[in-house]
mmCIF file of all heavy atoms in Angstrom:
data_model
loop_
_atom_site.group_PDB
_atom_site.id
_atom_site.type_symbol
_atom_site.label_atom_id
_atom_site.label_comp_id
_atom_site.label_asym_id
_atom_site.label_seq_id
_atom_site.Cartn_x
_atom_site.Cartn_y
_atom_site.Cartn_z
ATOM 1 N N THR V 1 0.833 -1.191 0.000
ATOM 2 C CA THR V 1 0.000 0.000 0.000
ATOM 3 C C THR V 1 0.875 1.251 0.000
ATOM 4 O O THR V 1 2.049 1.204 0.392
ATOM 5 C CB THR V 1 -0.908 0.058 1.246
ATOM 6 O OG1 THR V 1 -0.089 -0.013 2.428
ATOM 7 C CG2 THR V 1 -1.912 -1.075 1.254
ATOM 8 N N LYS V 2 0.289 2.329 -0.442
ATOM 9 C CA LYS V 2 0.977 3.624 -0.439
ATOM 10 C C LYS V 2 -0.017 4.668 0.024
ATOM 11 O O LYS V 2 -1.207 4.626 -0.329
ATOM 12 C CB LYS V 2 1.496 3.973 -1.831
ATOM 13 C CG LYS V 2 2.205 5.321 -1.904
ATOM 14 C CD LYS V 2 2.777 5.580 -3.257
ATOM 15 C CE LYS V 2 3.375 6.987 -3.333
ATOM 16 N NZ LYS V 2 4.483 7.152 -2.349
ATOM 17 N N TYR V 3 0.466 5.613 0.822
ATOM 18 C CA TYR V 3 -0.374 6.682 1.335
ATOM 19 C C TYR V 3 0.309 8.026 1.104
ATOM 20 O O TYR V 3 1.529 8.151 1.216
ATOM 21 C CB TYR V 3 -0.615 6.512 2.837
ATOM 22 C CG TYR V 3 -1.399 5.266 3.183
ATOM 23 C CD1 TYR V 3 -0.749 4.077 3.495
ATOM 24 C CD2 TYR V 3 -2.792 5.275 3.195
ATOM 25 C CE1 TYR V 3 -1.455 2.940 3.812
ATOM 26 C CE2 TYR V 3 -3.516 4.137 3.509
ATOM 27 C CZ TYR V 3 -2.836 2.975 3.808
ATOM 28 O OH TYR V 3 -3.562 1.833 4.114
ATOM 29 N N ALA V 4 -0.497 9.029 0.840
ATOM 30 C CA ALA V 4 0.018 10.390 0.821
ATOM 31 C C ALA V 4 0.456 10.756 2.236
ATOM 32 O O ALA V 4 -0.146 10.294 3.220
ATOM 33 C CB ALA V 4 -1.055 11.357 0.335
ATOM 34 N N ASP V 5 1.476 11.561 2.353
ATOM 35 C CA ASP V 5 1.971 11.952 3.673
ATOM 36 C C ASP V 5 0.873 12.588 4.520
ATOM 37 O O ASP V 5 0.841 12.414 5.739
ATOM 38 C CB ASP V 5 3.137 12.937 3.525
ATOM 39 C CG ASP V 5 4.404 12.273 3.017
ATOM 40 O OD1 ASP V 5 4.491 11.019 3.085
ATOM 41 O OD2 ASP V 5 5.300 12.987 2.555
ATOM 42 N N SER V 6 -0.027 13.285 3.874
ATOM 43 C CA SER V 6 -1.064 14.013 4.597
ATOM 44 C C SER V 6 -2.094 13.098 5.264
ATOM 45 O O SER V 6 -2.841 13.550 6.138
ATOM 46 C CB SER V 6 -1.789 14.980 3.655
ATOM 47 O OG SER V 6 -2.345 14.275 2.553
ATOM 48 N N VAL V 7 -2.136 11.815 4.866
ATOM 49 C CA VAL V 7 -3.145 10.922 5.428
ATOM 50 C C VAL V 7 -2.539 9.733 6.167
ATOM 51 O O VAL V 7 -3.272 8.921 6.743
ATOM 52 C CB VAL V 7 -4.110 10.405 4.339
ATOM 53 C CG1 VAL V 7 -4.722 11.572 3.567
ATOM 54 C CG2 VAL V 7 -3.437 9.421 3.404
ATOM 55 N N LYS V 8 -1.235 9.616 6.161
ATOM 56 C CA LYS V 8 -0.587 8.475 6.837
ATOM 57 C C LYS V 8 -0.970 8.422 8.311
ATOM 58 O O LYS V 8 -0.970 9.441 8.994
ATOM 59 C CB LYS V 8 0.938 8.595 6.706
ATOM 60 C CG LYS V 8 1.478 8.136 5.373
ATOM 61 C CD LYS V 8 2.995 8.260 5.322
ATOM 62 C CE LYS V 8 3.521 7.840 3.962
ATOM 63 N NZ LYS V 8 4.988 8.038 3.862
ATOM 64 N N GLY V 9 -1.317 7.224 8.754
ATOM 65 C CA GLY V 9 -1.708 7.041 10.140
ATOM 66 C C GLY V 9 -3.166 7.343 10.413
ATOM 67 O O GLY V 9 -3.669 7.063 11.505
ATOM 68 N N ARG V 10 -3.867 7.919 9.424
ATOM 69 C CA ARG V 10 -5.284 8.250 9.608
ATOM 70 C C ARG V 10 -6.184 7.454 8.662
ATOM 71 O O ARG V 10 -7.325 7.148 9.000
ATOM 72 C CB ARG V 10 -5.514 9.736 9.375
ATOM 73 C CG ARG V 10 -4.726 10.644 10.311
ATOM 74 C CD ARG V 10 -5.173 12.098 10.173
ATOM 75 N NE ARG V 10 -4.912 12.649 8.837
ATOM 76 C CZ ARG V 10 -5.849 13.139 8.047
ATOM 77 N NH1 ARG V 10 -7.122 13.162 8.419
ATOM 78 N NH2 ARG V 10 -5.522 13.638 6.853
ATOM 79 N N PHE V 11 -5.685 7.132 7.477
ATOM 80 C CA PHE V 11 -6.472 6.419 6.470
ATOM 81 C C PHE V 11 -5.905 5.011 6.290
ATOM 82 O O PHE V 11 -4.697 4.796 6.389
ATOM 83 C CB PHE V 11 -6.414 7.135 5.124
ATOM 84 C CG PHE V 11 -7.129 8.453 5.070
ATOM 85 C CD1 PHE V 11 -7.594 9.101 6.200
ATOM 86 C CD2 PHE V 11 -7.339 9.070 3.835
ATOM 87 C CE1 PHE V 11 -8.251 10.318 6.125
ATOM 88 C CE2 PHE V 11 -7.995 10.283 3.732
ATOM 89 C CZ PHE V 11 -8.445 10.906 4.885
ATOM 90 N N THR V 12 -6.800 4.074 5.979
ATOM 91 C CA THR V 12 -6.401 2.696 5.703
ATOM 92 C C THR V 12 -7.133 2.194 4.464
ATOM 93 O O THR V 12 -8.370 2.270 4.404
ATOM 94 C CB THR V 12 -6.712 1.775 6.888
ATOM 95 O OG1 THR V 12 -6.056 2.258 8.069
ATOM 96 C CG2 THR V 12 -6.228 0.363 6.603
ATOM 97 N N ILE V 13 -6.378 1.690 3.511
ATOM 98 C CA ILE V 13 -6.971 1.144 2.292
ATOM 99 C C ILE V 13 -6.949 -0.387 2.366
ATOM 100 O O ILE V 13 -6.009 -0.989 2.913
ATOM 101 C CB ILE V 13 -6.226 1.641 1.029
ATOM 102 C CG1 ILE V 13 -6.988 1.278 -0.244
ATOM 103 C CG2 ILE V 13 -4.797 1.108 0.991
ATOM 104 C CD1 ILE V 13 -6.419 1.923 -1.505
ATOM 105 N N SER V 14 -7.991 -1.010 1.846
ATOM 106 C CA SER V 14 -8.039 -2.470 1.796
ATOM 107 C C SER V 14 -8.843 -2.881 0.574
ATOM 108 O O SER V 14 -9.587 -2.069 0.003
ATOM 109 C CB SER V 14 -8.671 -3.034 3.076
ATOM 110 O OG SER V 14 -9.982 -2.571 3.241
ATOM 111 N N ARG V 15 -8.706 -4.141 0.195
ATOM 112 C CA ARG V 15 -9.450 -4.621 -0.970
ATOM 113 C C ARG V 15 -9.867 -6.073 -0.746
ATOM 114 O O ARG V 15 -9.197 -6.827 -0.027
ATOM 115 C CB ARG V 15 -8.618 -4.503 -2.251
ATOM 116 C CG ARG V 15 -7.392 -5.378 -2.315
ATOM 117 C CD ARG V 15 -6.535 -5.042 -3.533
ATOM 118 N NE ARG V 15 -7.171 -5.435 -4.785
ATOM 119 C CZ ARG V 15 -6.781 -5.014 -5.990
ATOM 120 N NH1 ARG V 15 -5.776 -4.162 -6.092
ATOM 121 N NH2 ARG V 15 -7.405 -5.441 -7.066
ATOM 122 N N ASP V 16 -10.960 -6.436 -1.377
ATOM 123 C CA ASP V 16 -11.455 -7.814 -1.354
ATOM 124 C C ASP V 16 -11.743 -8.182 -2.804
ATOM 125 O O ASP V 16 -12.793 -7.829 -3.346
ATOM 126 C CB ASP V 16 -12.708 -7.909 -0.491
ATOM 127 C CG ASP V 16 -13.187 -9.345 -0.308
ATOM 128 O OD1 ASP V 16 -12.888 -10.194 -1.174
ATOM 129 O OD2 ASP V 16 -13.875 -9.620 0.679
ATOM 130 N N ASN V 17 -10.803 -8.878 -3.424
ATOM 131 C CA ASN V 17 -10.954 -9.205 -4.842
ATOM 132 C C ASN V 17 -12.131 -10.153 -5.095
ATOM 133 O O ASN V 17 -12.759 -10.109 -6.148
ATOM 134 C CB ASN V 17 -9.666 -9.803 -5.389
ATOM 135 C CG ASN V 17 -8.573 -8.771 -5.563
ATOM 136 O OD1 ASN V 17 -8.761 -7.594 -5.250
ATOM 137 N ND2 ASN V 17 -7.420 -9.199 -6.040
ATOM 138 N N ALA V 18 -12.432 -10.990 -4.127
ATOM 139 C CA ALA V 18 -13.558 -11.917 -4.293
ATOM 140 C C ALA V 18 -14.883 -11.160 -4.342
ATOM 141 O O ALA V 18 -15.820 -11.578 -5.033
ATOM 142 C CB ALA V 18 -13.568 -12.931 -3.152
ATOM 143 N N LYS V 19 -14.949 -10.053 -3.619
ATOM 144 C CA LYS V 19 -16.178 -9.252 -3.583
ATOM 145 C C LYS V 19 -16.102 -8.032 -4.496
ATOM 146 O O LYS V 19 -17.047 -7.247 -4.558
ATOM 147 C CB LYS V 19 -16.473 -8.804 -2.157
ATOM 148 C CG LYS V 19 -16.764 -9.950 -1.206
ATOM 149 C CD LYS V 19 -17.100 -9.430 0.192
ATOM 150 C CE LYS V 19 -17.426 -10.590 1.135
ATOM 151 N NZ LYS V 19 -17.754 -10.111 2.498
ATOM 152 N N ASN V 20 -14.952 -7.875 -5.180
ATOM 153 C CA ASN V 20 -14.769 -6.735 -6.090
ATOM 154 C C ASN V 20 -15.022 -5.395 -5.404
ATOM 155 O O ASN V 20 -15.703 -4.527 -5.952
ATOM 156 C CB ASN V 20 -15.669 -6.870 -7.321
ATOM 157 C CG ASN V 20 -15.057 -7.772 -8.378
ATOM 158 O OD1 ASN V 20 -14.102 -8.492 -8.115
ATOM 159 N ND2 ASN V 20 -15.610 -7.730 -9.571
ATOM 160 N N THR V 21 -14.489 -5.244 -4.213
ATOM 161 C CA THR V 21 -14.657 -3.990 -3.493
ATOM 162 C C THR V 21 -13.319 -3.509 -2.934
ATOM 163 O O THR V 21 -12.444 -4.313 -2.603
ATOM 164 C CB THR V 21 -15.649 -4.121 -2.333
ATOM 165 O OG1 THR V 21 -15.185 -5.133 -1.446
ATOM 166 C CG2 THR V 21 -17.038 -4.458 -2.818
ATOM 167 N N VAL V 22 -13.214 -2.201 -2.848
ATOM 168 C CA VAL V 22 -12.053 -1.562 -2.244
ATOM 169 C C VAL V 22 -12.576 -0.540 -1.241
ATOM 170 O O VAL V 22 -13.525 0.196 -1.541
ATOM 171 C CB VAL V 22 -11.172 -0.874 -3.294
ATOM 172 C CG1 VAL V 22 -9.954 -0.233 -2.635
ATOM 173 C CG2 VAL V 22 -10.733 -1.868 -4.355
ATOM 174 N N THR V 23 -11.985 -0.511 -0.080
ATOM 175 C CA THR V 23 -12.463 0.352 0.994
ATOM 176 C C THR V 23 -11.364 1.312 1.433
ATOM 177 O O THR V 23 -10.191 0.951 1.478
ATOM 178 C CB THR V 23 -12.914 -0.498 2.193
ATOM 179 O OG1 THR V 23 -13.969 -1.366 1.779
ATOM 180 C CG2 THR V 23 -13.423 0.397 3.321
ATOM 181 N N LEU V 24 -11.772 2.529 1.732
ATOM 182 C CA LEU V 24 -10.869 3.515 2.325
ATOM 183 C C LEU V 24 -11.471 3.937 3.656
ATOM 184 O O LEU V 24 -12.480 4.631 3.704
ATOM 185 C CB LEU V 24 -10.688 4.730 1.414
ATOM 186 C CG LEU V 24 -9.674 5.767 1.917
ATOM 187 C CD1 LEU V 24 -8.251 5.194 1.860
ATOM 188 C CD2 LEU V 24 -9.757 7.055 1.096
ATOM 189 N N GLN V 25 -10.856 3.470 4.728
ATOM 190 C CA GLN V 25 -11.304 3.835 6.070
ATOM 191 C C GLN V 25 -10.569 5.107 6.478
ATOM 192 O O GLN V 25 -9.333 5.129 6.511
ATOM 193 C CB GLN V 25 -10.994 2.709 7.059
ATOM 194 C CG GLN V 25 -11.439 2.995 8.480
ATOM 195 C CD GLN V 25 -12.940 3.107 8.614
ATOM 196 O OE1 GLN V 25 -13.687 2.335 8.046
ATOM 197 N NE2 GLN V 25 -13.383 4.113 9.371
ATOM 198 N N MET V 26 -11.343 6.162 6.778
ATOM 199 C CA MET V 26 -10.761 7.453 7.111
ATOM 200 C C MET V 26 -11.110 7.805 8.547
ATOM 201 O O MET V 26 -12.279 7.756 8.936
ATOM 202 C CB MET V 26 -11.293 8.535 6.163
ATOM 203 C CG MET V 26 -11.126 8.185 4.690
ATOM 204 S SD MET V 26 -11.624 9.522 3.592
ATOM 205 C CE MET V 26 -13.375 9.586 3.944
ATOM 206 N N SER V 27 -10.116 8.169 9.324
ATOM 207 C CA SER V 27 -10.354 8.563 10.709
ATOM 208 C C SER V 27 -9.623 9.862 10.995
ATOM 209 O O SER V 27 -8.775 10.300 10.212
ATOM 210 C CB SER V 27 -9.899 7.458 11.665
ATOM 211 O OG SER V 27 -8.514 7.223 11.523
ATOM 212 N N ARG V 28 -9.944 10.463 12.129
ATOM 213 C CA ARG V 28 -9.358 11.741 12.541
ATOM 214 C C ARG V 28 -9.383 12.733 11.382
ATOM 215 O O ARG V 28 -8.358 13.352 11.046
ATOM 216 C CB ARG V 28 -7.952 11.528 13.081
ATOM 217 C CG ARG V 28 -7.922 10.811 14.416
ATOM 218 C CD ARG V 28 -6.510 10.711 14.950
ATOM 219 N NE ARG V 28 -5.769 9.646 14.309
ATOM 220 C CZ ARG V 28 -4.475 9.705 14.016
ATOM 221 N NH1 ARG V 28 -3.788 10.787 14.265
ATOM 222 N NH2 ARG V 28 -3.876 8.678 13.452
ATOM 223 N N LEU V 29 -10.538 12.865 10.790
ATOM 224 C CA LEU V 29 -10.676 13.717 9.609
ATOM 225 C C LEU V 29 -10.469 15.183 9.949
ATOM 226 O O LEU V 29 -10.818 15.645 11.041
ATOM 227 C CB LEU V 29 -12.033 13.493 8.957
ATOM 228 C CG LEU V 29 -12.121 12.186 8.170
ATOM 229 C CD1 LEU V 29 -13.572 11.780 7.958
ATOM 230 C CD2 LEU V 29 -11.420 12.328 6.827
ATOM 231 N N LYS V 30 -9.918 15.908 8.986
ATOM 232 C CA LYS V 30 -9.614 17.320 9.131
ATOM 233 C C LYS V 30 -10.354 18.107 8.054
ATOM 234 O O LYS V 30 -10.683 17.566 6.996
ATOM 235 C CB LYS V 30 -8.107 17.544 8.958
ATOM 236 C CG LYS V 30 -7.233 16.736 9.883
ATOM 237 C CD LYS V 30 -5.759 16.938 9.549
ATOM 238 C CE LYS V 30 -4.870 16.100 10.451
ATOM 239 N NZ LYS V 30 -3.430 16.301 10.119
ATOM 240 N N PRO V 31 -10.589 19.378 8.281
ATOM 241 C CA PRO V 31 -11.251 20.185 7.242
ATOM 242 C C PRO V 31 -10.515 20.128 5.900
ATOM 243 O O PRO V 31 -11.168 20.165 4.842
ATOM 244 C CB PRO V 31 -11.222 21.593 7.844
ATOM 245 C CG PRO V 31 -11.248 21.365 9.319
ATOM 246 C CD PRO V 31 -10.421 20.126 9.536
ATOM 247 N N GLU V 32 -9.214 20.024 5.933
ATOM 248 C CA GLU V 32 -8.456 19.969 4.675
ATOM 249 C C GLU V 32 -8.620 18.642 3.927
ATOM 250 O O GLU V 32 -8.133 18.505 2.802
ATOM 251 C CB GLU V 32 -6.972 20.252 4.912
ATOM 252 C CG GLU V 32 -6.341 19.427 6.007
ATOM 253 C CD GLU V 32 -6.292 20.159 7.344
ATOM 254 O OE1 GLU V 32 -7.309 20.816 7.703
ATOM 255 O OE2 GLU V 32 -5.248 20.070 8.019
ATOM 256 N N ASP V 33 -9.310 17.673 4.526
ATOM 257 C CA ASP V 33 -9.641 16.433 3.825
ATOM 258 C C ASP V 33 -10.880 16.607 2.943
ATOM 259 O O ASP V 33 -11.238 15.697 2.190
ATOM 260 C CB ASP V 33 -9.889 15.293 4.809
ATOM 261 C CG ASP V 33 -8.643 14.894 5.579
ATOM 262 O OD1 ASP V 33 -7.559 14.815 4.958
ATOM 263 O OD2 ASP V 33 -8.748 14.663 6.795
ATOM 264 N N THR V 34 -11.540 17.743 3.058
ATOM 265 C CA THR V 34 -12.722 18.011 2.243
ATOM 266 C C THR V 34 -12.378 17.981 0.764
ATOM 267 O O THR V 34 -11.463 18.671 0.306
ATOM 268 C CB THR V 34 -13.322 19.376 2.600
ATOM 269 O OG1 THR V 34 -13.802 19.331 3.949
ATOM 270 C CG2 THR V 34 -14.467 19.743 1.672
ATOM 271 N N ALA V 35 -13.085 17.142 0.023
ATOM 272 C CA ALA V 35 -12.811 16.969 -1.403
ATOM 273 C C ALA V 35 -13.808 15.986 -1.979
ATOM 274 O O ALA V 35 -14.556 15.329 -1.242
ATOM 275 C CB ALA V 35 -11.387 16.436 -1.616
ATOM 276 N N VAL V 36 -13.808 15.886 -3.294
ATOM 277 C CA VAL V 36 -14.485 14.774 -3.962
ATOM 278 C C VAL V 36 -13.470 13.644 -4.056
ATOM 279 O O VAL V 36 -12.348 13.853 -4.539
ATOM 280 C CB VAL V 36 -14.985 15.176 -5.357
ATOM 281 C CG1 VAL V 36 -15.645 13.973 -6.041
ATOM 282 C CG2 VAL V 36 -15.961 16.335 -5.263
ATOM 283 N N TYR V 37 -13.871 12.469 -3.600
ATOM 284 C CA TYR V 37 -12.991 11.309 -3.593
ATOM 285 C C TYR V 37 -13.372 10.364 -4.729
ATOM 286 O O TYR V 37 -14.538 10.015 -4.890
ATOM 287 C CB TYR V 37 -13.069 10.588 -2.248
ATOM 288 C CG TYR V 37 -12.310 11.303 -1.161
ATOM 289 C CD1 TYR V 37 -12.775 12.505 -0.640
ATOM 290 C CD2 TYR V 37 -11.118 10.787 -0.664
ATOM 291 C CE1 TYR V 37 -12.064 13.176 0.343
ATOM 292 C CE2 TYR V 37 -10.405 11.441 0.329
ATOM 293 C CZ TYR V 37 -10.879 12.638 0.827
ATOM 294 O OH TYR V 37 -10.172 13.301 1.802
ATOM 295 N N PHE V 38 -12.375 9.955 -5.491
ATOM 296 C CA PHE V 38 -12.561 9.068 -6.631
ATOM 297 C C PHE V 38 -11.769 7.782 -6.414
ATOM 298 O O PHE V 38 -10.662 7.816 -5.892
ATOM 299 C CB PHE V 38 -12.033 9.713 -7.921
ATOM 300 C CG PHE V 38 -12.667 11.012 -8.294
ATOM 301 C CD1 PHE V 38 -12.203 12.203 -7.772
ATOM 302 C CD2 PHE V 38 -13.727 11.035 -9.191
ATOM 303 C CE1 PHE V 38 -12.782 13.415 -8.130
ATOM 304 C CE2 PHE V 38 -14.310 12.232 -9.560
ATOM 305 C CZ PHE V 38 -13.837 13.426 -9.020
ATOM 306 N N CYS V 39 -12.329 6.677 -6.845
ATOM 307 C CA CYS V 39 -11.513 5.474 -6.938
ATOM 308 C C CYS V 39 -11.207 5.223 -8.414
ATOM 309 O O CYS V 39 -11.966 5.625 -9.306
ATOM 310 C CB CYS V 39 -12.170 4.263 -6.297
ATOM 311 S SG CYS V 39 -13.671 3.670 -7.076
ATOM 312 N N ALA V 40 -10.062 4.598 -8.626
ATOM 313 C CA ALA V 40 -9.613 4.333 -9.990
ATOM 314 C C ALA V 40 -8.919 2.983 -10.046
ATOM 315 O O ALA V 40 -8.391 2.504 -9.036
ATOM 316 C CB ALA V 40 -8.667 5.433 -10.464
ATOM 317 N N ALA V 41 -8.913 2.398 -11.221
ATOM 318 C CA ALA V 41 -8.254 1.121 -11.462
ATOM 319 C C ALA V 41 -7.253 1.276 -12.592
ATOM 320 O O ALA V 41 -7.555 1.919 -13.607
ATOM 321 C CB ALA V 41 -9.283 0.050 -11.814
ATOM 322 N N ALA V 42 -6.064 0.723 -12.403
ATOM 323 C CA ALA V 42 -5.017 0.790 -13.417
ATOM 324 C C ALA V 42 -4.502 -0.617 -13.680
ATOM 325 O O ALA V 42 -4.110 -1.329 -12.745
ATOM 326 C CB ALA V 42 -3.891 1.703 -12.966
ATOM 327 N N PHE V 43 -4.476 -0.997 -14.950
ATOM 328 C CA PHE V 43 -4.085 -2.358 -15.331
ATOM 329 C C PHE V 43 -2.590 -2.564 -15.125
ATOM 330 O O PHE V 43 -1.767 -1.861 -15.730
ATOM 331 C CB PHE V 43 -4.469 -2.610 -16.789
ATOM 332 C CG PHE V 43 -4.171 -3.988 -17.268
ATOM 333 C CD1 PHE V 43 -4.971 -5.042 -16.876
ATOM 334 C CD2 PHE V 43 -3.096 -4.239 -18.107
ATOM 335 C CE1 PHE V 43 -4.714 -6.324 -17.315
ATOM 336 C CE2 PHE V 43 -2.824 -5.508 -18.552
ATOM 337 C CZ PHE V 43 -3.637 -6.556 -18.156
ATOM 338 N N MET V 44 -2.233 -3.500 -14.248
ATOM 339 C CA MET V 44 -0.849 -3.925 -14.044
ATOM 340 C C MET V 44 0.090 -2.755 -13.728
ATOM 341 O O MET V 44 1.257 -2.776 -14.118
ATOM 342 C CB MET V 44 -0.353 -4.671 -15.285
ATOM 343 C CG MET V 44 -1.162 -5.904 -15.633
ATOM 344 S SD MET V 44 -1.000 -7.226 -14.435
ATOM 345 C CE MET V 44 0.622 -7.858 -14.873
ATOM 346 N N ARG V 45 -0.418 -1.764 -13.048
ATOM 347 C CA ARG V 45 0.393 -0.588 -12.715
ATOM 348 C C ARG V 45 0.960 -0.730 -11.303
ATOM 349 O O ARG V 45 0.289 -1.262 -10.422
ATOM 350 C CB ARG V 45 -0.474 0.666 -12.826
ATOM 351 C CG ARG V 45 0.222 1.967 -12.558
ATOM 352 C CD ARG V 45 1.117 2.363 -13.684
ATOM 353 N NE ARG V 45 0.363 2.703 -14.886
ATOM 354 C CZ ARG V 45 0.926 3.102 -16.020
ATOM 355 N NH1 ARG V 45 2.233 3.197 -16.107
ATOM 356 N NH2 ARG V 45 0.187 3.396 -17.066
ATOM 357 N N ASP V 46 2.184 -0.247 -11.057
ATOM 358 C CA ASP V 46 2.716 -0.259 -9.701
ATOM 359 C C ASP V 46 2.104 0.879 -8.901
ATOM 360 O O ASP V 46 1.701 1.917 -9.452
ATOM 361 C CB ASP V 46 4.238 -0.147 -9.716
ATOM 362 C CG ASP V 46 4.713 1.174 -10.269
ATOM 363 O OD1 ASP V 46 4.821 1.297 -11.500
ATOM 364 O OD2 ASP V 46 4.944 2.101 -9.462
#
């Protein structure tokens, strides 16, 4: 996994390939976290 420095220790990403879902658990949210959040998929990308 990789995290932006601004969210390290507060956000956790996980995935369940069997259920085709990806989750972003966000805690200790700050006003600067306000945004539109998008998920994206990239084929065979690091």
